[in-house]
Amino acid sequence: MKGAHVRSPHRPSVPPRLRPARPQRARGSSGFTFGKYREIIIAVAFFLLFDLGVLVLNFYTSFKIDQDTVAINLAGRQRYVSQRIARTLLELDAARAAGQSYRNETLAELRAGAKVFDLSHAAFKKGDTVPGGDGKPVFLDAVTSDRGRQLEAQVDALWAPYFEKLQPLMRDGFSTENLSAALAYSQANNIRLLNVANDFVTETQAIGASRASTLRMVQTGGIVLALLNFAFILMKFLRRLQTSDAAIEAANEENREILQSVREGLFLITRDFKLGSQLSQSAHALFGRSLAPGQDFFALLEPLLTDKALSDARGYVQLLFAPHVKEALVQGINPLSEVEALVKNRLGDQVIRHLSFHFNRVVEGGAVRHLLVTVQDISPRIELERKLHEERQRSQKEFEMLLKAVDADQAMLRQFVERAETSLLEVNDMLRSTSGAQGEAAILKRIDEARRRVHALKGDAATLGLETLASQAHAFEDTLDRIRQGGAGDLGQALVALPLPLEDLLHKVGSLKSLVSQQRAQPVPASATSINTLLAGLAEEVARDAGKKVMPVVAMGALLDLAPAQADLAREIAVQLVRNAVAHGIEAPVTRAAAGKAEAGRIAVQLARSDADWLLTVRDDGAGLSAPRIRRKLLELGWYTAEQLEAFDDRQVVSHIFKPGFSTAQGVSLYAGRGVGLDLVQANVQQLGGRITLASTPGEHTEFRVRFAA
């Protein structure tokens, strides 16, 4: 809540570590390991090897196919050239018969054809570089197939004589006989040569087709092997992926179980101060609201912290995200180690909780990527510390009480212990004998009587300076008041809670009793001086607590002349009237100074013999009693209506100050506000068989006079 208190640093217990959402590498692993991925690596290597083999075979077969294509083209050219040679011979013979000269173009074509045919024929036999179809040189492998060698041998048998007869025609000045011989051989063998050339073309085409088929088989086989290898890799990958997914799901399930069962609030915050995707179930309850991933961390803290505390928290978190700042050095300055927050519980009620925030870095690659935030509800520890502190204070007060008891007048202390023990035992018996069957009026009467006894004990304890006992009696009065003001509920059931505080009071009185019993067996009787000193000290103590000043004048030594029962009742009356005079009568110093009075109020207390009677007088020079003020209080309490109060005179109105439960104090304190003091006074006066009179002048004084028989 705004204005929340931030306590001193506190380091909570280390939270349980969350498993990461992805599987971690084995401890000691430097990264990639061959054994873990051996099958996939081998499969990929085979895949690459297959691809490389197929690629090499493709290149080689393609190269051979290119050569086969050249061979097919040249074989076809051989067939064409053989026919061109035969045709040019016929053209030359026709020119001879017509008596015409030989054309140079025809001679050139004959000579070129014969030369090309011979070169190509030689290359088919042994392999060589020959002119291609475009005139550029190409390399021609020798024919290696059996059929090709046979056909090439047949060509050689036909061409060798043919080429020999063409040799004279390759030069100028050949004779008619040379032409006739070549033409005769051509006509006799041209068809045979053409048929062999056709068969050779067919063979080269078959060789090329075979290589193309081989290439297709290689490609098909490579593709099939690649697909099989790919399927193997895919299967292994999917299996490993499935295993990884199962591991991730198992880790996530463990994370969910941890986040649902852990009592601390656990979540990550990013560098931009946003909540991470995983939050523990307890975090929602600790913040009293539903949290969602991506929410701003400081927006969640804003309702819980003051502006300064929020600013300090922001600066601290920014320090943790700075990698150069040592985490251990800044843990001690954590401003969120103990935060008091107002949050809603599961029922929607506002409750105060003490939360402790602890931060741990999540470092990757030397950079702080996230902060793991652990939020703990340390309210039980804070409550325990508070109780221990209260217990130490209580023990210290009890010790101080015992020290004061040692210093107190032993006779008066002994008398107090006896009276207190007797009074508390009577209260115990009174309450034990009270039940719901007696009716509400009877129970309330018993409670009023118990309140008087406890109020008297409180006054006596305060008189002796036993503040711890007086405070505990005051707390017991609170319990009795709550029961009395509870209305027409089950009062008998409510009384069940009273024995415990009553027993605690008896225990403290018992401690004082043990202390008293260790004193001398024959204690010195109480003196008039000690009685007067105690009453004066009581007046000064009440004034000091109320911020007032008093000058008490006490003359109560005559108590020693009374019978013990009368002395106890008179003393209780004096104590209550002195407390009432200081708490209600004496004004604050500023008010008295404004009224022209001395800052210190005067209280006079006296017990004296008057003929056959005793007269106890308590007088103060304070503000006096105000009838209008008492009327307003009666109207506020609802005791009377305005019309009924109009029928009362001031004397009747003022007499209500002796009624149980009536008080004009603004609140309940250790000394006033319950409306029991004057009720106890009136009850004691009745037991003394006396009467009490009251005289008061507003702004000047109030005097109580109690007269009872000797």
Side-chain angles (χ1 to χ4, degrees), residues 40-82:
I40 294 179
I41 293 172
I42 293 175
V44 171
F46 272 116
F47 179 78
L48 294 176
L49 185 61
F50 292 153
D51 283 351
L52 181 61
V54 170
L55 185 63
V56 170
L57 287 174
N58 277 340
F59 275 118
Y60 175 75
T61 307
S62 297
F63 173 74
K64 298 303 289 184
I65 289 175
D66 287 342
Q67 287 187 328
D68 290 340
T69 302
V70 172
I72 292 170
N73 291 335
L74 293 182
R77 187 179 67 177
Q78 291 289 79
R79 181 179 59 187
Y80 170 74
V81 169
S82 68

mmCIF file of all heavy atoms in Angstrom, residues 40-82:
data_model
loop_
_atom_site.group_PDB
_atom_site.id
_atom_site.type_symbol
_atom_site.label_atom_id
_atom_site.label_comp_id
_atom_site.label_asym_id
_atom_site.label_seq_id
_atom_site.Cartn_x
_atom_site.Cartn_y
_atom_site.Cartn_z
ATOM 1 N N ILE A 40 23.033 -39.487 -37.514
ATOM 2 C CA ILE A 40 22.659 -38.413 -38.447
ATOM 3 C C ILE A 40 23.875 -37.938 -39.229
ATOM 4 O O ILE A 40 23.796 -37.678 -40.443
ATOM 5 C CB ILE A 40 22.002 -37.253 -37.680
ATOM 6 C CG1 ILE A 40 20.670 -37.713 -37.083
ATOM 7 C CG2 ILE A 40 21.793 -36.054 -38.583
ATOM 8 C CD1 ILE A 40 19.948 -36.655 -36.297
ATOM 9 N N ILE A 41 25.019 -37.855 -38.573
ATOM 10 C CA ILE A 41 26.236 -37.403 -39.256
ATOM 11 C C ILE A 41 26.625 -38.393 -40.359
ATOM 12 O O ILE A 41 26.962 -38.002 -41.484
ATOM 13 C CB ILE A 41 27.381 -37.238 -38.243
ATOM 14 C CG1 ILE A 41 27.070 -36.078 -37.283
ATOM 15 C CG2 ILE A 41 28.701 -37.000 -38.957
ATOM 16 C CD1 ILE A 41 28.037 -35.957 -36.145
ATOM 17 N N ILE A 42 26.588 -39.708 -40.056
ATOM 18 C CA ILE A 42 26.926 -40.724 -41.059
ATOM 19 C C ILE A 42 25.942 -40.667 -42.229
ATOM 20 O O ILE A 42 26.332 -40.749 -43.411
ATOM 21 C CB ILE A 42 26.934 -42.120 -40.413
ATOM 22 C CG1 ILE A 42 28.094 -42.225 -39.414
ATOM 23 C CG2 ILE A 42 27.049 -43.207 -41.473
ATOM 24 C CD1 ILE A 42 28.115 -43.511 -38.632
ATOM 25 N N ALA A 43 24.642 -40.499 -41.891
ATOM 26 C CA ALA A 43 23.636 -40.424 -42.951
ATOM 27 C C ALA A 43 23.871 -39.216 -43.844
ATOM 28 O O ALA A 43 23.775 -39.297 -45.079
ATOM 29 C CB ALA A 43 22.235 -40.376 -42.347
ATOM 30 N N VAL A 44 24.203 -38.085 -43.242
ATOM 31 C CA VAL A 44 24.476 -36.881 -44.032
ATOM 32 C C VAL A 44 25.728 -37.077 -44.880
ATOM 33 O O VAL A 44 25.801 -36.662 -46.049
ATOM 34 C CB VAL A 44 24.608 -35.657 -43.110
ATOM 35 C CG1 VAL A 44 25.101 -34.442 -43.891
ATOM 36 C CG2 VAL A 44 23.273 -35.341 -42.447
ATOM 37 N N ALA A 45 26.755 -37.767 -44.300
ATOM 38 C CA ALA A 45 27.983 -38.029 -45.060
ATOM 39 C C ALA A 45 27.688 -38.915 -46.264
ATOM 40 O O ALA A 45 28.189 -38.665 -47.379
ATOM 41 C CB ALA A 45 29.019 -38.687 -44.150
ATOM 42 N N PHE A 46 26.872 -39.971 -46.055
ATOM 43 C CA PHE A 46 26.488 -40.823 -47.178
ATOM 44 C C PHE A 46 25.707 -40.033 -48.219
ATOM 45 O O PHE A 46 25.881 -40.220 -49.431
ATOM 46 C CB PHE A 46 25.657 -42.007 -46.692
ATOM 47 C CG PHE A 46 26.490 -43.184 -46.282
ATOM 48 C CD1 PHE A 46 26.487 -43.624 -44.976
ATOM 49 C CD2 PHE A 46 27.285 -43.859 -47.208
ATOM 50 C CE1 PHE A 46 27.263 -44.705 -44.593
ATOM 51 C CE2 PHE A 46 28.051 -44.945 -46.832
ATOM 52 C CZ PHE A 46 28.050 -45.377 -45.516
ATOM 53 N N PHE A 47 24.830 -39.163 -47.740
ATOM 54 C CA PHE A 47 24.049 -38.337 -48.663
ATOM 55 C C PHE A 47 24.964 -37.486 -49.534
ATOM 56 O O PHE A 47 24.806 -37.410 -50.756
ATOM 57 C CB PHE A 47 23.084 -37.462 -47.863
ATOM 58 C CG PHE A 47 22.237 -36.553 -48.697
ATOM 59 C CD1 PHE A 47 21.140 -37.035 -49.377
ATOM 60 C CD2 PHE A 47 22.554 -35.198 -48.813
ATOM 61 C CE1 PHE A 47 20.361 -36.196 -50.149
ATOM 62 C CE2 PHE A 47 21.790 -34.354 -49.578
ATOM 63 C CZ PHE A 47 20.680 -34.853 -50.252
ATOM 64 N N LEU A 48 25.948 -36.868 -48.887
ATOM 65 C CA LEU A 48 26.894 -36.050 -49.643
ATOM 66 C C LEU A 48 27.727 -36.921 -50.582
ATOM 67 O O LEU A 48 28.030 -36.520 -51.726
ATOM 68 C CB LEU A 48 27.805 -35.284 -48.676
ATOM 69 C CG LEU A 48 27.109 -34.234 -47.803
ATOM 70 C CD1 LEU A 48 28.111 -33.626 -46.823
ATOM 71 C CD2 LEU A 48 26.491 -33.144 -48.661
ATOM 72 N N LEU A 49 28.113 -38.113 -50.097
ATOM 73 C CA LEU A 49 28.906 -39.014 -50.936
ATOM 74 C C LEU A 49 28.106 -39.469 -52.161
ATOM 75 O O LEU A 49 28.625 -39.502 -53.289
ATOM 76 C CB LEU A 49 29.352 -40.219 -50.107
ATOM 77 C CG LEU A 49 30.286 -41.214 -50.806
ATOM 78 C CD1 LEU A 49 31.582 -40.520 -51.218
ATOM 79 C CD2 LEU A 49 30.582 -42.389 -49.886
ATOM 80 N N PHE A 50 26.841 -39.832 -51.933
ATOM 81 C CA PHE A 50 25.981 -40.213 -53.056
ATOM 82 C C PHE A 50 25.866 -39.074 -54.057
ATOM 83 O O PHE A 50 25.975 -39.280 -55.280
ATOM 84 C CB PHE A 50 24.589 -40.597 -52.554
ATOM 85 C CG PHE A 50 24.574 -41.871 -51.756
ATOM 86 C CD1 PHE A 50 23.598 -42.082 -50.789
ATOM 87 C CD2 PHE A 50 25.534 -42.860 -51.958
ATOM 88 C CE1 PHE A 50 23.585 -43.239 -50.047
ATOM 89 C CE2 PHE A 50 25.519 -44.030 -51.218
ATOM 90 C CZ PHE A 50 24.545 -44.222 -50.261
ATOM 91 N N ASP A 51 25.617 -37.911 -53.538
ATOM 92 C CA ASP A 51 25.483 -36.761 -54.433
ATOM 93 C C ASP A 51 26.760 -36.536 -55.228
ATOM 94 O O ASP A 51 26.725 -36.267 -56.445
ATOM 95 C CB ASP A 51 25.139 -35.512 -53.633
ATOM 96 C CG ASP A 51 23.677 -35.492 -53.210
ATOM 97 O OD1 ASP A 51 22.922 -36.366 -53.688
ATOM 98 O OD2 ASP A 51 23.296 -34.622 -52.406
ATOM 99 N N LEU A 52 27.900 -36.632 -54.524
ATOM 100 C CA LEU A 52 29.174 -36.421 -55.208
ATOM 101 C C LEU A 52 29.401 -37.505 -56.268
ATOM 102 O O LEU A 52 29.831 -37.213 -57.400
ATOM 103 C CB LEU A 52 30.314 -36.413 -54.188
ATOM 104 C CG LEU A 52 31.713 -36.168 -54.744
ATOM 105 C CD1 LEU A 52 31.779 -34.785 -55.419
ATOM 106 C CD2 LEU A 52 32.766 -36.257 -53.639
ATOM 107 N N GLY A 53 29.114 -38.791 -55.924
ATOM 108 C CA GLY A 53 29.288 -39.884 -56.887
ATOM 109 C C GLY A 53 28.398 -39.715 -58.101
ATOM 110 O O GLY A 53 28.847 -39.880 -59.254
ATOM 111 N N VAL A 54 27.139 -39.385 -57.829
ATOM 112 C CA VAL A 54 26.205 -39.180 -58.943
ATOM 113 C C VAL A 54 26.654 -38.009 -59.802
ATOM 114 O O VAL A 54 26.572 -38.048 -61.037
ATOM 115 C CB VAL A 54 24.773 -38.964 -58.402
ATOM 116 C CG1 VAL A 54 23.841 -38.520 -59.522
ATOM 117 C CG2 VAL A 54 24.256 -40.238 -57.753
ATOM 118 N N LEU A 55 27.139 -36.966 -59.146
ATOM 119 C CA LEU A 55 27.597 -35.800 -59.893
ATOM 120 C C LEU A 55 28.784 -36.157 -60.787
ATOM 121 O O LEU A 55 28.838 -35.761 -61.969
ATOM 122 C CB LEU A 55 27.970 -34.682 -58.920
ATOM 123 C CG LEU A 55 28.363 -33.334 -59.534
ATOM 124 C CD1 LEU A 55 27.194 -32.737 -60.312
ATOM 125 C CD2 LEU A 55 28.826 -32.367 -58.452
ATOM 126 N N VAL A 56 29.745 -36.927 -60.233
ATOM 127 C CA VAL A 56 30.918 -37.328 -61.020
ATOM 128 C C VAL A 56 30.488 -38.204 -62.201
ATOM 129 O O VAL A 56 30.936 -38.027 -63.343
ATOM 130 C CB VAL A 56 31.925 -38.060 -60.123
ATOM 131 C CG1 VAL A 56 33.035 -38.692 -60.976
ATOM 132 C CG2 VAL A 56 32.521 -37.097 -59.118
ATOM 133 N N LEU A 57 29.600 -39.179 -61.883
ATOM 134 C CA LEU A 57 29.115 -40.046 -62.963
ATOM 135 C C LEU A 57 28.355 -39.248 -64.016
ATOM 136 O O LEU A 57 28.453 -39.528 -65.222
ATOM 137 C CB LEU A 57 28.223 -41.142 -62.385
ATOM 138 C CG LEU A 57 28.955 -42.244 -61.606
ATOM 139 C CD1 LEU A 57 27.953 -43.190 -60.960
ATOM 140 C CD2 LEU A 57 29.877 -43.026 -62.547
ATOM 141 N N ASN A 58 27.588 -38.296 -63.585
ATOM 142 C CA ASN A 58 26.866 -37.441 -64.532
ATOM 143 C C ASN A 58 27.837 -36.715 -65.450
ATOM 144 O O ASN A 58 27.647 -36.649 -66.677
ATOM 145 C CB ASN A 58 25.992 -36.432 -63.796
ATOM 146 C CG ASN A 58 24.650 -37.018 -63.380
ATOM 147 O OD1 ASN A 58 24.212 -38.025 -63.938
ATOM 148 N ND2 ASN A 58 23.995 -36.392 -62.424
ATOM 149 N N PHE A 59 28.880 -36.133 -64.817
ATOM 150 C CA PHE A 59 29.863 -35.411 -65.625
ATOM 151 C C PHE A 59 30.553 -36.362 -66.611
ATOM 152 O O PHE A 59 30.724 -36.049 -67.797
ATOM 153 C CB PHE A 59 30.906 -34.735 -64.716
ATOM 154 C CG PHE A 59 30.488 -33.391 -64.214
ATOM 155 C CD1 PHE A 59 30.323 -33.158 -62.864
ATOM 156 C CD2 PHE A 59 30.267 -32.331 -65.102
ATOM 157 C CE1 PHE A 59 29.938 -31.921 -62.405
ATOM 158 C CE2 PHE A 59 29.894 -31.089 -64.643
ATOM 159 C CZ PHE A 59 29.722 -30.879 -63.293
ATOM 160 N N TYR A 60 30.938 -37.524 -66.083
ATOM 161 C CA TYR A 60 31.662 -38.469 -66.951
ATOM 162 C C TYR A 60 30.763 -38.974 -68.077
ATOM 163 O O TYR A 60 31.154 -38.984 -69.253
ATOM 164 C CB TYR A 60 32.173 -39.635 -66.112
ATOM 165 C CG TYR A 60 32.831 -40.712 -66.937
ATOM 166 C CD1 TYR A 60 34.113 -40.533 -67.463
ATOM 167 C CD2 TYR A 60 32.162 -41.901 -67.209
ATOM 168 C CE1 TYR A 60 34.711 -41.513 -68.234
ATOM 169 C CE2 TYR A 60 32.764 -42.892 -67.991
ATOM 170 C CZ TYR A 60 34.042 -42.693 -68.492
ATOM 171 O OH TYR A 60 34.637 -43.669 -69.259
ATOM 172 N N THR A 61 29.547 -39.420 -67.712
ATOM 173 C CA THR A 61 28.638 -39.957 -68.729
ATOM 174 C C THR A 61 28.246 -38.875 -69.731
ATOM 175 O O THR A 61 28.130 -39.121 -70.941
ATOM 176 C CB THR A 61 27.387 -40.547 -68.055
ATOM 177 O OG1 THR A 61 27.777 -41.483 -67.064
ATOM 178 C CG2 THR A 61 26.499 -41.241 -69.060
ATOM 179 N N SER A 62 28.009 -37.655 -69.199
ATOM 180 C CA SER A 62 27.670 -36.545 -70.105
ATOM 181 C C SER A 62 28.816 -36.271 -71.067
ATOM 182 O O SER A 62 28.605 -35.987 -72.259
ATOM 183 C CB SER A 62 27.354 -35.288 -69.289
ATOM 184 O OG SER A 62 26.222 -35.499 -68.481
ATOM 185 N N PHE A 63 30.051 -36.347 -70.521
ATOM 186 C CA PHE A 63 31.220 -36.149 -71.379
ATOM 187 C C PHE A 63 31.286 -37.222 -72.457
ATOM 188 O O PHE A 63 31.528 -36.941 -73.639
ATOM 189 C CB PHE A 63 32.482 -36.157 -70.520
ATOM 190 C CG PHE A 63 33.748 -36.136 -71.317
ATOM 191 C CD1 PHE A 63 34.179 -34.986 -71.961
ATOM 192 C CD2 PHE A 63 34.532 -37.285 -71.431
ATOM 193 C CE1 PHE A 63 35.346 -34.983 -72.711
ATOM 194 C CE2 PHE A 63 35.699 -37.273 -72.173
ATOM 195 C CZ PHE A 63 36.111 -36.121 -72.815
ATOM 196 N N LYS A 64 31.038 -38.476 -72.044
ATOM 197 C CA LYS A 64 31.069 -39.572 -73.023
ATOM 198 C C LYS A 64 29.927 -39.427 -74.034
ATOM 199 O O LYS A 64 30.102 -39.737 -75.225
ATOM 200 C CB LYS A 64 30.975 -40.920 -72.304
ATOM 201 C CG LYS A 64 32.125 -41.212 -71.354
ATOM 202 C CD LYS A 64 33.477 -41.164 -72.051
ATOM 203 C CE LYS A 64 33.692 -42.341 -72.981
ATOM 204 N NZ LYS A 64 35.032 -42.374 -73.589
ATOM 205 N N ILE A 65 28.788 -39.002 -73.575
ATOM 206 C CA ILE A 65 27.666 -38.789 -74.506
ATOM 207 C C ILE A 65 28.017 -37.704 -75.513
ATOM 208 O O ILE A 65 27.679 -37.798 -76.712
ATOM 209 C CB ILE A 65 26.386 -38.452 -73.725
ATOM 210 C CG1 ILE A 65 25.871 -39.706 -72.989
ATOM 211 C CG2 ILE A 65 25.300 -37.905 -74.642
ATOM 212 C CD1 ILE A 65 24.685 -39.449 -72.086
ATOM 213 N N ASP A 66 28.706 -36.646 -74.999
ATOM 214 C CA ASP A 66 29.149 -35.603 -75.926
ATOM 215 C C ASP A 66 30.086 -36.193 -76.989
ATOM 216 O O ASP A 66 29.987 -35.862 -78.189
ATOM 217 C CB ASP A 66 29.866 -34.489 -75.157
ATOM 218 C CG ASP A 66 28.893 -33.651 -74.354
ATOM 219 O OD1 ASP A 66 27.681 -33.704 -74.652
ATOM 220 O OD2 ASP A 66 29.340 -32.957 -73.407
ATOM 221 N N GLN A 67 30.997 -37.067 -76.529
ATOM 222 C CA GLN A 67 31.897 -37.705 -77.485
ATOM 223 C C GLN A 67 31.124 -38.619 -78.447
ATOM 224 O O GLN A 67 31.434 -38.680 -79.654
ATOM 225 C CB GLN A 67 32.967 -38.507 -76.733
ATOM 226 C CG GLN A 67 34.013 -37.629 -76.044
ATOM 227 C CD GLN A 67 35.128 -38.467 -75.465
ATOM 228 O OE1 GLN A 67 34.919 -39.601 -75.047
ATOM 229 N NE2 GLN A 67 36.332 -37.900 -75.456
ATOM 230 N N ASP A 68 30.134 -39.334 -77.888
ATOM 231 C CA ASP A 68 29.318 -40.195 -78.757
ATOM 232 C C ASP A 68 28.559 -39.364 -79.781
ATOM 233 O O ASP A 68 28.365 -39.780 -80.944
ATOM 234 C CB ASP A 68 28.348 -41.017 -77.923
ATOM 235 C CG ASP A 68 29.062 -42.070 -77.101
ATOM 236 O OD1 ASP A 68 30.205 -42.413 -77.436
ATOM 237 O OD2 ASP A 68 28.473 -42.534 -76.094
ATOM 238 N N THR A 69 28.123 -38.223 -79.367
ATOM 239 C CA THR A 69 27.411 -37.337 -80.302
ATOM 240 C C THR A 69 28.333 -36.915 -81.437
ATOM 241 O O THR A 69 27.939 -36.869 -82.623
ATOM 242 C CB THR A 69 26.874 -36.108 -79.544
ATOM 243 O OG1 THR A 69 26.012 -36.545 -78.502
ATOM 244 C CG2 THR A 69 26.112 -35.181 -80.475
ATOM 245 N N VAL A 70 29.585 -36.607 -81.069
ATOM 246 C CA VAL A 70 30.569 -36.249 -82.093
ATOM 247 C C VAL A 70 30.797 -37.424 -83.037
ATOM 248 O O VAL A 70 30.855 -37.276 -84.274
ATOM 249 C CB VAL A 70 31.893 -35.814 -81.432
ATOM 250 C CG1 VAL A 70 32.992 -35.630 -82.503
ATOM 251 C CG2 VAL A 70 31.692 -34.526 -80.658
ATOM 252 N N ALA A 71 30.899 -38.630 -82.417
ATOM 253 C CA ALA A 71 31.122 -39.826 -83.246
ATOM 254 C C ALA A 71 29.944 -40.064 -84.182
ATOM 255 O O ALA A 71 30.133 -40.416 -85.366
ATOM 256 C CB ALA A 71 31.350 -41.027 -82.335
ATOM 257 N N ILE A 72 28.716 -39.874 -83.636
ATOM 258 C CA ILE A 72 27.521 -40.062 -84.473
ATOM 259 C C ILE A 72 27.528 -39.070 -85.623
ATOM 260 O O ILE A 72 27.262 -39.410 -86.802
ATOM 261 C CB ILE A 72 26.249 -39.929 -83.622
ATOM 262 C CG1 ILE A 72 26.142 -41.099 -82.629
ATOM 263 C CG2 ILE A 72 25.002 -39.867 -84.498
ATOM 264 C CD1 ILE A 72 25.052 -40.916 -81.593
ATOM 265 N N ASN A 73 27.847 -37.821 -85.293
ATOM 266 C CA ASN A 73 27.874 -36.791 -86.337
ATOM 267 C C ASN A 73 28.941 -37.096 -87.400
ATOM 268 O O ASN A 73 28.703 -36.963 -88.620
ATOM 269 C CB ASN A 73 28.132 -35.422 -85.718
ATOM 270 C CG ASN A 73 26.945 -34.945 -84.883
ATOM 271 O OD1 ASN A 73 25.809 -35.369 -85.134
ATOM 272 N ND2 ASN A 73 27.203 -34.069 -83.920
ATOM 273 N N LEU A 74 30.135 -37.522 -86.928
ATOM 274 C CA LEU A 74 31.216 -37.804 -87.876
ATOM 275 C C LEU A 74 30.941 -39.071 -88.671
ATOM 276 O O LEU A 74 31.320 -39.178 -89.859
ATOM 277 C CB LEU A 74 32.549 -37.916 -87.131
ATOM 278 C CG LEU A 74 33.059 -36.602 -86.496
ATOM 279 C CD1 LEU A 74 34.413 -36.818 -85.837
ATOM 280 C CD2 LEU A 74 33.153 -35.489 -87.537
ATOM 281 N N ALA A 75 30.281 -40.063 -88.000
ATOM 282 C CA ALA A 75 29.909 -41.275 -88.751
ATOM 283 C C ALA A 75 28.909 -40.930 -89.847
ATOM 284 O O ALA A 75 28.991 -41.435 -90.984
ATOM 285 C CB ALA A 75 29.328 -42.314 -87.789
ATOM 286 N N GLY A 76 27.956 -40.060 -89.503
ATOM 287 C CA GLY A 76 27.010 -39.602 -90.514
ATOM 288 C C GLY A 76 27.716 -38.822 -91.599
ATOM 289 O O GLY A 76 27.368 -38.903 -92.791
ATOM 290 N N ARG A 77 28.740 -38.032 -91.174
ATOM 291 C CA ARG A 77 29.489 -37.263 -92.169
ATOM 292 C C ARG A 77 30.265 -38.207 -93.098
ATOM 293 O O ARG A 77 30.386 -37.948 -94.296
ATOM 294 C CB ARG A 77 30.439 -36.299 -91.464
ATOM 295 C CG ARG A 77 31.125 -35.340 -92.435
ATOM 296 C CD ARG A 77 32.037 -34.382 -91.710
ATOM 297 N NE ARG A 77 33.182 -35.069 -91.124
ATOM 298 C CZ ARG A 77 34.171 -34.437 -90.484
ATOM 299 N NH1 ARG A 77 34.096 -33.113 -90.333
ATOM 300 N NH2 ARG A 77 35.176 -35.109 -89.959
ATOM 301 N N GLN A 78 30.817 -39.326 -92.519
ATOM 302 C CA GLN A 78 31.530 -40.292 -93.358
ATOM 303 C C GLN A 78 30.610 -40.835 -94.461
ATOM 304 O O GLN A 78 31.029 -40.977 -95.615
ATOM 305 C CB GLN A 78 32.044 -41.456 -92.503
ATOM 306 C CG GLN A 78 33.170 -41.103 -91.537
ATOM 307 C CD GLN A 78 34.479 -40.817 -92.221
ATOM 308 O OE1 GLN A 78 34.675 -39.714 -92.762
ATOM 309 N NE2 GLN A 78 35.382 -41.801 -92.228
ATOM 310 N N ARG A 79 29.391 -41.164 -94.072
ATOM 311 C CA ARG A 79 28.426 -41.662 -95.058
ATOM 312 C C ARG A 79 28.169 -40.618 -96.135
ATOM 313 O O ARG A 79 28.116 -40.902 -97.338
ATOM 314 C CB ARG A 79 27.138 -42.044 -94.338
ATOM 315 C CG ARG A 79 26.058 -42.611 -95.245
ATOM 316 C CD ARG A 79 24.836 -42.979 -94.426
ATOM 317 N NE ARG A 79 24.299 -41.816 -93.720
ATOM 318 C CZ ARG A 79 23.301 -41.878 -92.822
ATOM 319 N NH1 ARG A 79 22.756 -43.047 -92.509
ATOM 320 N NH2 ARG A 79 22.874 -40.789 -92.219
ATOM 321 N N TYR A 80 28.000 -39.368 -95.658
ATOM 322 C CA TYR A 80 27.728 -38.281 -96.614
ATOM 323 C C TYR A 80 28.939 -38.038 -97.513
ATOM 324 O O TYR A 80 28.822 -37.864 -98.731
ATOM 325 C CB TYR A 80 27.358 -37.025 -95.835
ATOM 326 C CG TYR A 80 27.284 -35.787 -96.677
ATOM 327 C CD1 TYR A 80 26.209 -35.566 -97.548
ATOM 328 C CD2 TYR A 80 28.305 -34.837 -96.627
ATOM 329 C CE1 TYR A 80 26.164 -34.426 -98.340
ATOM 330 C CE2 TYR A 80 28.257 -33.696 -97.409
ATOM 331 C CZ TYR A 80 27.182 -33.493 -98.251
ATOM 332 O OH TYR A 80 27.130 -32.360 -99.025
ATOM 333 N N VAL A 81 30.142 -38.072 -96.929
ATOM 334 C CA VAL A 81 31.367 -37.780 -97.689
ATOM 335 C C VAL A 81 31.612 -38.857 -98.752
ATOM 336 O O VAL A 81 32.044 -38.572 -99.891
ATOM 337 C CB VAL A 81 32.572 -37.652 -96.735
ATOM 338 C CG1 VAL A 81 33.899 -37.617 -97.530
ATOM 339 C CG2 VAL A 81 32.430 -36.387 -95.899
ATOM 340 N N SER A 82 31.311 -40.108 -98.354
ATOM 341 C CA SER A 82 31.526 -41.192 -99.337
ATOM 342 C C SER A 82 30.655 -40.975 -100.573
ATOM 343 O O SER A 82 31.092 -41.225 -101.711
ATOM 344 C CB SER A 82 31.240 -42.553 -98.696
ATOM 345 O OG SER A 82 29.853 -42.677 -98.400
#
